[in-house]
Amino acid sequence: MAVGVEIEHRLVLPPFSSLSDPNSFVRQEVVHLLSKQARVFIVLKTSLELGVLLFKEAKELRLVQKDSAWIISDPLAGLLDSVNTSVISSMEGALGVTTYFSESGRSFREFKQKFQQIFRSDYPNEDNSEPSVYALRAYDSVTAIRKAIKKSNSSTMFLETFLSTNFTGLSGLVSFRGGELMQPSVLNIVNVVGKRYKEVGVWSSKLGFSRSVDTEESREKLEEKTWKNGLIPTSFEKFVKVTWNSSINSWSYSGFCIDIFLEVLKILEQRYPLPYEFIPFYGSYDEIVDCVANKTFDAVIGDITILANRSGAVEFTQPFTESGLTMVVTVKSQAQNKAWIFVQPFTGEMWAITGAILLYTVLIVWLLERQLNPEYEGRWWNQLNTALWFTCSSLFFAHREKVYNNYTRIVVLVWLFVVLALTSSYTANLSSLLTVPRLVPSVSGIQWLKDKNAKIGCDGDSFVRKYLENVLGFHPDNIKNISSQYDYPKEFESGNITAAFLELPYQKAFLNYYCEGYIVSGNTSSVAGDRFGGLGFAFQKGSPIADDVSQAILTLSENGRLKQLELEYFSSSHNFINGGTRNKVFRIAKLYLVQHGFLETEKTLGGNSSLLAVVRMEMLKPSMAMMVDV
């Protein structure tokens, strides 16, 4: 099967009414199950009487215990309300899958109140008066029939009207397709515990597993995963971007990762054809990797970071770019002390070395000239003053004293070369200080952020958030999830975040787009040696395509094509043309185009963080699928 599960044995039981001795027959069949290795049992479409007997015999033979799992579906799971506590206790630990219905609506509450009043008056000895899904379906069936009768004049018209029914009843959506009632899109998951059962969650085709579809969190999640007007913003579009073109009624895919994949295909096609299909996917990076691990898809083609826990579940290719954690902050002008700016071109060490060379030269000139030079007469401190004045005036090439000793001439020549180098360097540095603004990071480092209890931003759908909490020690309340690269500047400007932690490839994309106002604080490659496995494509474990793709990526690296793509997408020279002004103009132009309807024909699709398009590959086996970040 697609998820790697095999059915070891099928047991088909005849109708309960056709058995002369149901207990003996069911017991013999259950005894056969003891010889099987599998300890996961799925009960499909059984009557209540036969299901109760099956669990009774299975419990007596110790098949319903901790080392086995039982899963039951409708109609048995939907009738758990109708059985007594002794029957429920024989199903201890079983999981039930039944139709979900919402209990939060006003119509349901009114129905429930009337139903319980009638039920308690007719069955006063029954403890459970809650309406089951079958009671709701019966009510909806009568409602559908009543609606069809009002709209029809004949039996033929009644059938057509009835089959065209489409309304939301107490049990959910009531609609027919192909003459059959549409299956529910939401299922309720229950767990039998003790003498009762409890609801543990729901499963939806759009949400997957969640606690409840009535919670605000689930509704938000559903809204995020629904294509509304074809516009869902992506995090970093330079890696994977999906756009909708209404003129051809199709999605188009582009970006750094897509181009690498297409280049890989060119290499693989020299050996064999590789059909593929891109499929949009919405969820986190870990979720998309899990979909490859459980064989829902063949692979992920996109900006997936290679991590140890992910490598245990899927097969990664060779990385096509390096990865490490970087800290992006805003820049500020370094405050200048105008009164002492003349000392800033040299460091303290440089001033000390220059002074030491000066004094050494003074001493040598004095020792060599005092015997021969008539200007070096008088007391020794007068002679030293003369040597000092001569050496200092040579800094500006303004010395007038004569030199009599040939050795002194050699020392002075060397000193003049040193003076030339010092004055040239000093003049250049001082000019830079006076003309170029000194821009420095607004944040000194990670410890400064912790000490100040500052807010930081990151991509919440990636592993970075957990890394900031568990490894770098940031408090969870100080970490804000940022879902789009275009949101970072707004968060910086509003003061909501002081620093943004981005993986190295995203940092390149960010600084490439926002050329001014931001800088990488600390090491240019990572904030503290925080390096990861790089970005790569993920395939199913044991996939032979993974090795071929890895070889193709190495080929692209060796022939320079990979470096060329990096320069095309992330080289600052392509975008560094007054970046701040360019971004403002771009935003104004985009707003104008949206307001005047020019962007209606092409809309951008996105998701939370740079996620994902999926590829379906059909060469090795029909069920193979591959995914791509969007």
Side-chain angles (χ1 to χ4, degrees):
M1 295 178 65
V3 294
V5 178
E6 296 182 359
I7 299 176
E8 182 182 1
H9 179 71
R10 291 179 176 85
L11 172 60
V12 180
L13 299 177
F16 185 84
S17 58
S18 65
L19 298 174
S20 58
D21 188 1
N23 293 57
S24 176
F25 179 84
V26 172
R27 187 175 184 84
Q28 291 179 5
E29 295 295 336
V30 174
V31 168
H32 293 319
L33 298 179
L34 292 172
S35 61
K36 307 299 179 183
Q37 291 184 349
R39 283 297 179 266
V40 178
F41 306 97
I42 303 176
V43 182
L44 300 172
K45 292 188 180 299
T46 182
S47 63
L48 178 62
E49 295 85 355
L50 197 55
V52 169
L53 182 57
L54 175 63
F55 272 96
K56 174 178 174 295
E57 298 296 337
K59 185 175 182 179
E60 291 180 358
L61 293 174
R62 298 183 180 275
L63 270 181
V64 183
Q65 51 188 4
K66 292 183 179 180
D67 62 347
S68 61
W70 288 76
I71 301 174
I72 59 178
S73 64
D74 280 337
L76 183 58
L79 294 172
L80 292 177
D81 287 322
S82 305
V83 299
N84 56 42
T85 56
S86 62
V87 173
I88 285 287
S89 63
S90 67
M91 301 179 180
E92 175 76 29
L95 287 174
V97 181
T98 185
T99 302
Y100 171 86
F101 57 89
S102 176
E103 301 182 15
S104 59
R106 178 181 176 183
S107 57
F108 174 83
R109 292 194 297 268
E110 294 176 351
F111 172 82
K112 178 180 178 180
Q113 183 179 3
K114 295 178 181 179
F115 179 88
Q116 288 179 330
Q117 291 176 353
I118 299 173
F119 187 89
R120 287 167 183 167
S121 63
D122 293 344
Y123 306 97
N125 296 327
E126 290 288 340
D127 296 332
N128 190 357
S129 61
E130 295 288 329
S132 67
V133 67
Y134 295 103
L136 303 181
R137 285 176 176 171
Y139 182 86
D140 289 342
S141 299
V142 174
T143 302
I145 294 173
R146 178 174 56 83
K147 289 177 177 289
I149 291 176
K150 288 183 178 181
K151 297 180 181 180
S152 57
N153 299 323
S154 62
S155 59
T156 303
M157 187 177 180
F158 168 79
L159 180 59
E160 294 177 355
T161 305
F162 182 77
L163 292 178
S164 63
T165 298
N166 188 2
F167 70 95
T168 301
L170 298 177
S171 62
L173 179 64
V174 180
S175 181
F176 294 88
R177 179 179 296 174
E180 296 182 355
L181 185 66
M182 291 183 61
Q183 295 298 315
S185 60
V186 182
L187 299 175
N188 198 24
I189 312 299
V190 299
N191 183 212
V192 178
V193 180
K195 296 182 179 181
R196 297 292 299 168
Y197 73 89
K198 64 178 182 178
E199 298 179 356
V200 296
V202 296
W203 180 89
S204 168
S205 58
K206 292 182 178 179
L207 290 177
F209 287 99
S210 59
R211 288 291 181 184
S212 171
V213 297
D214 289 330
T215 63
E216 181 179 353
E217 177 183 359
S218 296
R219 285 196 298 271
E220 291 177 353
K221 188 177 179 184
L222 180 60
E223 290 174 359
E224 291 173 357
K225 291 192 175 185
T226 302
W227 296 3
K228 290 188 175 180
N229 300 323
L231 182 60
I232 308 175
T234 59
S235 180
F236 282 88
E237 296 178 349
K238 284 206 170 186
F239 291 90
V240 179
K241 182 180 180 181
V242 180
T243 55
W244 174 258
N245 193 325
S246 59
S247 61
I248 61 175
N249 198 31
S250 176
W251 297 107
S252 61
Y253 303 85
S254 60
F256 177 61
C257 298
I258 301 297
D259 283 355
I260 292 178
F261 175 69
L262 296 178
E263 292 292 334
V264 166
L265 288 182
K266 293 179 182 178
I267 297 175
L268 296 183
E269 286 173 354
Q270 299 175 7
R271 301 166 54 188
Y272 52 80
L274 192 63
Y276 66 92
E277 178 187 357
F278 290 106
I279 303 173
F281 178 87
Y282 305 96
S284 68
Y285 289 98
D286 288 335
E287 289 174 345
I288 200 69
V289 171
D290 289 340
C291 287
V292 177
N294 64 27
K295 300 183 180 180
T296 303
F297 304 107
D298 287 329
V300 181
I301 303 300
D303 51 336
I304 301 295
T305 304
I306 302 174
L307 302 175
N309 62 329
R310 293 174 180 175
S311 298
V314 297
E315 195 83 30
F316 277 103
T317 64
Q318 287 286 331
F320 51 81
T321 186
E322 62 179 330
S323 178
L325 192 62
T326 63
M327 181 170 65
V328 177
V329 298
T330 55
V331 295
K332 64 178 181 180
S333 296
Q334 191 177 36
Q336 301 282 357
N337 189 340
K338 299 296 183 180
W340 292 95
I341 194 172
F342 67 91
V343 301
Q344 294 182 9
F346 287 163
T347 62
E349 292 82 359
M350 189 61 186
W351 281 116
I353 294 173
T354 303
I357 296 175
L358 174 66
L359 294 177
Y360 175 77
T361 304
V362 170
L363 182 61
I364 296 299
V365 170
W366 174 66
L367 290 174
L368 293 175
E369 290 293 311
R370 64 176 181 163
Q371 299 294 336
L372 301 176
N373 197 327
E375 296 184 6
Y376 288 82
E377 295 179 352
R379 296 181 180 275
W380 64 270
W381 57 79
N382 290 329
Q383 298 176 17
L384 284 176
N385 286 337
T386 301
L388 179 61
W389 172 254
F390 169 78
T391 308
C392 290
S393 61
S394 65
L395 286 170
F396 309 99
F397 301 96
H399 52 285
R400 295 181 178 180
E401 292 79 3
K402 294 182 179 181
V403 176
Y404 288 83
N405 193 309
N406 291 329
Y407 293 107
T408 305
R409 292 186 175 94
I410 296 175
V411 172
V412 172
L413 181 62
V414 174
W415 168 245
L416 291 177
F417 273 110
V418 174
V419 168
L420 179 62
L422 288 174
T423 54
S424 299
S425 177
Y426 181 87
T427 303
N429 288 339
L430 183 60
S431 300
S432 175
L433 288 173
L434 293 173
T435 58
V436 179
R438 309 296 291 178
L439 300 179
V440 295
S442 59
V443 175
S444 58
I446 293 178
Q447 192 58 46
W448 185 91
L449 291 170
K450 294 180 182 179
D451 295 340
K452 298 294 184 179
N453 206 31
K455 302 290 184 180
I456 60 176
C458 71
D459 181 3
D461 284 330
S462 69
F463 73 98
V464 173
R465 182 183 178 92
K466 292 182 180 178
Y467 188 87
L468 292 173
E469 296 179 18
N470 302 331
V471 179
L472 298 184
F474 283 98
H475 195 279
D477 294 340
N478 292 334
I479 304 175
K480 184 171 183 178
N481 295 342
I482 311 294
S483 60
S484 171
Q485 74 176 83
Y486 307 112
D487 293 337
Y488 284 100
K490 294 183 292 185
E491 298 295 334
F492 273 116
E493 292 170 4
S494 62
N496 293 334
I497 62 174
T498 306
F501 284 84
L502 303 173
E503 289 186 71
L504 182 58
Y506 308 128
Q507 172 241 299
K508 292 180 180 179
F510 181 81
L511 295 183
N512 171 252
Y513 188 81
Y514 299 100
C515 302
E516 295 179 354
Y518 303 96
I519 193 173
V520 178
S521 179
N523 192 308
T524 56
S525 60
S526 63
V527 293
D530 306 270
R531 293 184 175 273
F532 312 115
L535 302 187
F537 301 149
F539 289 78
Q540 295 175 9
K541 277 291 186 181
S543 172
I545 300 180
D547 291 337
D548 293 343
V549 173
S550 291
Q551 293 180 13
I553 291 175
L554 291 175
T555 300
L556 293 175
S557 178
E558 294 170 3
N559 63 22
R561 179 54 179 158
L562 191 58
K563 185 65 176 179
Q564 183 181 355
L565 288 175
E566 289 183 358
L567 292 176
E568 290 177 4
Y569 278 96
F570 308 119
S571 175
S572 58
S573 62
H574 287 78
N575 283 334
F576 197 79
I577 305 175
N578 196 4
T581 304
R582 180 207 62 192
N583 293 333
K584 293 177 183 177
V585 173
F586 174 77
R587 292 170 188 164
I588 295 173
K590 183 177 179 181
L591 178 62
Y592 177 87
L593 293 174
V594 171
Q595 290 177 345
H596 290 78
F598 289 104
L599 291 182
E600 287 296 319
T601 58
E602 184 171 312
K603 301 176 182 179
T604 301
L605 175 139
N608 299 333
S609 120
S610 184
L611 298 180
L612 299 170
V614 182
V615 181
R616 184 160 300 277
M617 308 179 70
E618 302 172 351
M619 191 205 71
L620 294 181
K621 45 182 175 176
S623 63
M624 294 189 68
M626 170 180 289
M627 298 193 277
V628 181
D629 276 343
V630 289

